[in-house]
Amino acid sequence: MSMKILFVDDDAIARKNMVNRIPWASYDWELLYCAKDGMEALEYVKTHQPDLILSDVKMPVMDGIQMAIIAKDYNPSVKFLFISGYKDFEYAQQALKLNAIDYLTKPVMTESLISALKKACNIIRQEQKVTHIMETGYPTIRRHFISQLMYSNFTQADDSVFQAFDINLSNGFGTVGFADLKTIEDLPPSKVMELLQNGCRQFSEYFPGSFFIPIDTTQIFFIFTADNTSERSHFYARIQQMQACLNTWFETNLHLYGTFYYGSYFQELNALYLSYQTAQKVRNNQTTDLLSRIRRYIQTEYGNPELTLQSIASHFNINHCYLTSLYKDKYGINLYDYLIQVRMEKAAQLLMTTDLKSYQIAELTGYNNSQYFSLSFKKYYGCTVTEYKHR
């Protein structure tokens, strides 16, 4: 599959030259579109999924860095390659925070640009390969398969099935659970997956009768059992020990902690599937509660210009890619679109109830750039700020 590229520059000549500057097809690259500014680029990102955004930094209304921050809210996996006529250290620092692949200063020779694009392509292809492997190459660790396995085998299983999974319930209890992990920004997905696979092997050995498997880079599924534990309170203590052990490993190897969800306790193996269903229900209920808290947080913090999908995810200690998926599945819109909705509704309310100027309302609703606020307002309501106030 070719690497899909979006080019952003306010210079019409630069956009025209970029089309013919590089033999895109010969490198298996596809120049999807050339956007004239950050606003147009964001509209394109919302409806398409470019792998890479090649962007100028200095542009009117919205610079390349501001555009990139918002673009990641719409497409967390997109990569960036910045071009600037300025050797501005502050811009370069911001680019690094966005995990930009490179920051090139003008004039950029074609050979240097091709070299940077090749570097970007290698990184993107490696991540796509890991994602493909996790989605199709490990079917035995995907949640749907686990569900089918439990339903078809564990509900009517004999001892041989559980011996194969090394599950032992001699005078003890068991439970099914999940450990959700936050984004690990400074490690490639392939390395995270390798660490989790090694960690799960260690956990399975350290806790006999239990097994742990990574579903992806953000979640571990496990069946935890403890034999010779006749009291529920004793089993609960064993669970807490297990959770502490896993969190110690997470902190040492990944510099984070896990969020744990548990199903019902069982003493009979044929009740294992019920425990799995309960764990899913607990997780779903807590997810609904989490998304409600996130919506309330946005309604309170909408005036903060630094509020982004990544900052929200970090505040709630959740993977930002996972949060994007969760929110869209629950409410049918992108989380960043909801933030815009809240800001626009608050702006309209201020227009109707105060005599504040447009730039003042922009500041109060989280916009450092009043021109960008005005353009966003017009796009959202179909009229200018002044027209809306007169209505």
Side-chain angles (χ1 to χ4, degrees), residues 288-348:
T288 299
D289 177 64
L290 170 66
L291 293 178
S292 296
R293 287 189 288 120
I294 287 172
R295 285 167 71 91
R296 290 195 295 272
Y297 179 73
I298 289 174
Q299 290 163 8
T300 302
E301 299 294 324
Y302 66 89
N304 179 4
E306 303 299 322
L307 193 65
T308 65
L309 171 62
Q310 286 187 300
S311 71
I312 295 169
S314 178
H315 180 81
F316 287 93
N317 196 36
I318 186 173
N319 179 293
H320 67 279
C321 298
Y322 182 52
L323 174 57
T324 300
S325 175
L326 277 181
Y327 195 89
K328 193 159 189 178
D329 287 346
K330 176 69 175 178
Y331 296 108
I333 65 169
N334 187 286
L335 179 59
Y336 189 73
D337 286 335
Y338 177 69
L339 173 58
I340 292 175
Q341 175 186 323
V342 171
R343 284 174 166 167
M344 290 295 103
E345 289 175 355
K346 296 294 182 181

Side-chain angles (χ1 to χ4, degrees), residues 102-117:
D102 215 334
Y103 185 93
L104 308 174
T105 53
K106 298 177 180 178
V108 181
M109 302 300 291
T110 299
E111 293 78 9
S112 299
L113 181 57
I114 289 175
S115 177
L117 287 168

Side-chain angles (χ1 to χ4, degrees), residues 93-375:
Q93 273 192 319
Q94 292 178 36
L96 287 173
K97 288 180 181 178
L98 288 164
N99 290 329
I101 290 171
D102 215 334
Y103 185 93
L104 308 174
T105 53
K106 298 177 180 178
V108 181
M109 302 300 291
T110 299
E111 293 78 9
S112 299
L113 181 57
I114 289 175
S115 177
L117 287 168
K118 285 181 177 178
K119 176 182 176 183
C121 185
N122 289 336
I123 292 172
I124 290 168
R125 292 209 186 290
Q126 179 62 29
E127 289 194 6
Q128 289 175 339
K129 181 180 177 182
V130 172
T131 300
H132 178 74
I133 289 172
M134 288 192 295
E135 290 181 349
T136 63
Y138 296 107
T140 58
I141 63 172
R142 293 192 59 77
R143 204 178 313 161
H144 176 71
F145 179 85
I146 293 169
S147 175
Q148 293 301 311
L149 174 69
M150 288 187 174
Y151 187 75
S152 61
N153 291 329
F154 286 5
T155 53
Q156 297 177 337
D158 56 28
D159 291 342
S160 63
V161 174
F162 299 101
Q163 287 173 4
F165 281 88
D166 194 27
I167 296 173
N168 181 15
L169 271 183
S170 301
N171 191 31
F173 287 90
T175 188
V176 172
F178 298 92
D180 285 358
L181 306 174
K182 188 183 173 184
T183 303
I184 302 150
E185 301 287 357
D186 55 347
L187 288 176
S190 57
K191 182 61 177 177
V192 176
M193 196 63 181
E194 180 185 343
L195 286 169
L196 289 179
Q197 287 172 334
N198 289 335
C200 284
R201 279 193 289 269
Q202 294 175 33
F203 305 151
S204 298
E205 292 174 2
Y206 189 75
F207 298 102
S210 306
F211 75 93
F212 301 77
I213 43 180
I215 293 179
D216 53 33
T217 58
T218 64
Q219 189 178 91
I220 288 174
F221 169 82
F222 58 85
I223 297 176
F224 179 73
T225 66
D227 59 356
N228 296 317
T229 309
S230 57
E231 298 292 333
R232 284 179 176 268
S233 59
H234 295 163
F235 181 60
Y236 177 77
R238 296 280 287 272
I239 288 177
Q240 296 306 302
Q241 292 171 1
M242 177 272 291
Q243 183 171 309
C245 177
L246 265 64
N247 267 332
T248 298
W249 189 93
F250 293 149
E251 183 183 22
T252 302
N253 293 275
L254 301 173
H255 311 296
L256 52 77
Y257 291 100
T259 302
F260 290 79
Y261 308 91
Y262 299 97
S264 55
Y265 296 173
F266 58 85
Q267 289 182 286
E268 301 293 333
L269 289 171
N270 58 13
L272 200 150
Y273 184 67
L274 177 61
S275 180
Y276 168 77
Q277 290 179 309
T278 309
Q280 287 279 47
K281 185 176 181 180
V282 168
R283 191 165 175 272
N284 291 339
N285 288 342
Q286 291 192 27
T287 296
T288 299
D289 177 64
L290 170 66
L291 293 178
S292 296
R293 287 189 288 120
I294 287 172
R295 285 167 71 91
R296 290 195 295 272
Y297 179 73
I298 289 174
Q299 290 163 8
T300 302
E301 299 294 324
Y302 66 89
N304 179 4
E306 303 299 322
L307 193 65
T308 65
L309 171 62
Q310 286 187 300
S311 71
I312 295 169
S314 178
H315 180 81
F316 287 93
N317 196 36
I318 186 173
N319 179 293
H320 67 279
C321 298
Y322 182 52
L323 174 57
T324 300
S325 175
L326 277 181
Y327 195 89
K328 193 159 189 178
D329 287 346
K330 176 69 175 178
Y331 296 108
I333 65 169
N334 187 286
L335 179 59
Y336 189 73
D337 286 335
Y338 177 69
L339 173 58
I340 292 175
Q341 175 186 323
V342 171
R343 284 174 166 167
M344 290 295 103
E345 289 175 355
K346 296 294 182 181
Q349 183 180 6
L350 289 170
L351 280 170
M352 291 186 292
T353 59
T354 72
D355 292 324
L356 293 173
K357 304 294 185 183
S358 178
Y359 74 89
Q360 294 173 311
I361 292 176
E363 291 176 356
L364 289 172
T365 53
Y367 290 88
N368 285 328
N369 188 317
S370 60
Q371 192 176 1
Y372 175 43
F373 164 74
S374 297
L375 289 171

